[in-house]
Amino acid sequence: MADGIRLLLGGDSAGYHYKDAILADAREDPRVASVEDLGVNESDPKAGTYPSVAIAAATKIMAGEADRAILVCGTGIGVSIAANKVKGIRATVAHDSFSVERSILSNDCQILTMGERVIGLELARRLAKEWLGYAFDPSSHSKANVDEIVDYEGAPSD
């Protein structure tokens, strides 16, 4: 991310209005090196389900094709759950500034999710901008916690 964030944006039929607004903001943000719209779009709002969009975003991040994603559905919960099913992904719902900050600084999350039916558009746009400004510090005390999560996830399941 030294040259900027490679960002993915996605949502389902309940989140594409906010996704489109945040996408427009991201295209103007100098911290963003590239942005890819994973859909869905107003022209075909039923073109993808929240699990398909979230899994596509998470898979691209794990493949090294992107650094982060912002996903929007009705509540933010569905896209978060679906993205977290991809091994190695840390996705979270956050609808306030403190949680947005801690999602990166304490947890090194790669995916921020929000709900179009939960918060106002201007707050969603603001939170997305804030989130893009944070970077995880691997020398912080939180590194040990993130490592513990990563180590557990890599362990064989019972």
Side-chain angles (χ1 to χ4, degrees):
M1 283 193 291
D3 295 328
I5 298 168
R6 296 172 302 156
L7 183 64
L8 305 169
L9 269 287
D12 66 358
S13 60
Y16 71 85
H17 292 105
Y18 282 25
K19 183 267 303 176
D20 286 347
I22 296 167
L23 177 68
D25 292 342
R27 288 185 170 142
E28 299 298 320
D29 193 318
R31 301 168 297 182
V32 176
S34 65
V35 62
E36 180 180 350
D37 182 354
L38 298 177
V40 303
N41 296 296
E42 188 170 16
S43 62
D44 193 3
K46 300 294 184 188
T49 61
Y50 71 79
S52 66
V53 171
I55 291 167
T59 301
K60 283 179 171 280
I61 290 170
M62 291 312 300
E65 297 172 24
D67 302 308
R68 293 187 189 178
I70 300 172
L71 306 175
V72 186
C73 66
T75 63
I77 297 168
V79 284
S80 180
I81 291 170
N84 278 312
K85 297 299 180 184
V86 175
K87 188 175 181 177
I89 288 297
R90 290 174 304 283
T92 191
V93 180
H95 292 129
D96 65 90
S97 290
F98 186 70
S99 297
V100 163
E101 175 191 72
R102 299 324 304 172
S103 74
I104 297 292
L105 299 184
S106 294
N107 299 290
D108 196 17
C109 284
Q110 307 106 317
I111 300 178
L112 173 64
T113 72
M114 293 185 273
E116 186 165 322
R117 295 176 179 158
V118 177
I119 62 171
L121 175 58
E122 293 309 313
L123 178 57
R125 292 173 68 200
R126 179 182 179 143
L127 294 174
K129 287 177 190 174
E130 289 177 15
W131 189 71
L132 292 172
Y134 295 114
F136 182 70
D137 179 358
S139 67
S140 74
H141 70 278
S142 294
K143 174 81 163 82
N145 293 326
V146 172
D147 286 347
E148 186 174 343
I149 294 167
V150 170
D151 290 348
Y152 175 79
E153 186 176 42
S157 60
D158 294 328

